[in-house]
Amino acid sequence: MSGYQLALQQLVDSALPTGAFAHSLGFETYVDAGVVADEADFGVWLSAFISQSLTYSDGLAIRFLYEGWDVGELDELLSASLLPRQVREASLKMGGRLLEIGAEVYPSPELELYRDLVATCRAAGHQPLAFAVVVRSLGVPLPEALAAYLFATVTSLTQNAVRAIPLGQNAGQRLLRHAADGVAAAVERVSHLTADDFGAVTPGLEISQMRHERQRARMFMS
């Protein structure tokens, strides 16, 4: 077993206390509007989210950090590209918790540098960058890091959809099985993207995320 395997499992486990259970990242807006009402509907939304937001934002940011881009520069790009306020705040809340947890269980000079930038207000502290800094210091190869991060996000969203729509537990597992193919395709797609592709997300997803903060009743923070 590779030395990083158990550490990676800990970092992507749904029990990691980053607060992911409190965020829908926009799908609750579709649920409220009646557009997402069952397993098939959520599967369509999840596929779009994987191929857009997770690929062109989080996934590409992780790849760029692995390739040596300055973490402060990437942090600024993420802050600028995450237009919906709630989604931007979600990234910072989960990123902040991941930075705290990482400092306690998997400290590294790279992580301390990013934490110092955040503490001195020279960076915001986004979730995908916090994750990438930690796992790169552990020696996790980029393809494995990308697949683990994307699938962990998909798992959290699916668990939240099981509660919110609601769906059965078996439906959630079927969704995850199908989403695994989308995650594999996203990892491959990320490897071919350029800096010009960063933040290229379908407007409909962003609009739904913006509308969420004015929704009459909500289960989630985003």
Side-chain angles (χ1 to χ4, degrees):
M1 179 181 292
S2 299
Y4 59 78
Q5 288 290 348
L6 293 180
L8 183 60
Q9 289 184 41
Q10 179 182 1
L11 291 168
V12 298
D13 193 284
S14 60
L16 193 75
T18 60
F21 67 89
H23 300 280
S24 80
L25 303 182
F27 83 73
E28 188 178 18
T29 305
Y30 288 100
V31 174
D32 184 68
V35 176
V36 171
D38 56 25
E39 177 182 347
D41 294 339
F42 181 73
V44 172
W45 180 90
L46 188 61
S47 177
F49 190 82
I50 295 168
S51 65
Q52 292 291 317
S53 296
L54 287 183
T55 298
Y56 289 88
S57 182
D58 293 29
L60 195 50
I62 291 171
R63 192 197 108 194
F64 285 161
L65 187 133
Y66 260 76
E67 292 178 350
W69 283 44
D70 180 74
V71 68
E73 179 182 358
L74 285 171
D75 188 278
E76 289 183 3
L77 284 173
L78 274 171
S79 291
S81 64
L82 293 175
L83 299 182
R85 180 181 63 84
Q86 286 188 340
V87 172
R88 188 168 58 252
E89 291 178 352
S91 180
L92 299 183
K93 288 175 181 176
M94 291 188 281
R97 288 292 296 132
L98 194 51
L99 287 172
E100 292 177 10
I101 295 166
E104 290 194 20
V105 296
Y106 298 114
S108 70
E110 297 83 2
L111 180 60
E112 284 308 305
L113 171 63
Y114 192 28
R115 292 186 75 218
D116 181 64
L117 291 175
V118 174
T120 55
C121 300
R122 289 176 290 164
H126 287 281
Q127 182 190 17
L129 296 180
F131 176 83
V133 168
V134 174
V135 297
R136 185 177 66 166
S137 71
L138 293 170
V140 180
L142 175 59
E144 291 186 43
L146 276 172
Y149 177 89
L150 300 185
F151 196 71
T153 304
V154 165
T155 299
S156 295
L157 288 170
T158 301
Q159 290 174 340
N160 292 348
V162 166
R163 291 187 289 135
I165 293 174
L167 304 173
Q169 296 294 334
N170 286 354
Q173 293 305 306
R174 289 192 296 269
L175 285 162
L176 288 175
R177 170 61 193 91
H178 291 301
D181 295 333
V183 166
V187 171
E188 173 63 20
R189 189 177 301 113
V190 166
S191 68
H192 300 293
L193 299 178
T194 69
D196 290 337
D197 297 310
F198 193 86
V201 179
T202 300
L205 289 174
E206 291 184 325
I207 291 170
S208 73
Q209 292 164 344
M210 293 175 183
R211 286 175 174 167
H212 184 266
E213 65 180 285
R214 294 176 176 83
Q215 194 166 297
R216 182 180 59 83
R218 305 181 312 203
M219 288 181 61
F220 301 101
M221 296 172 64
S222 69

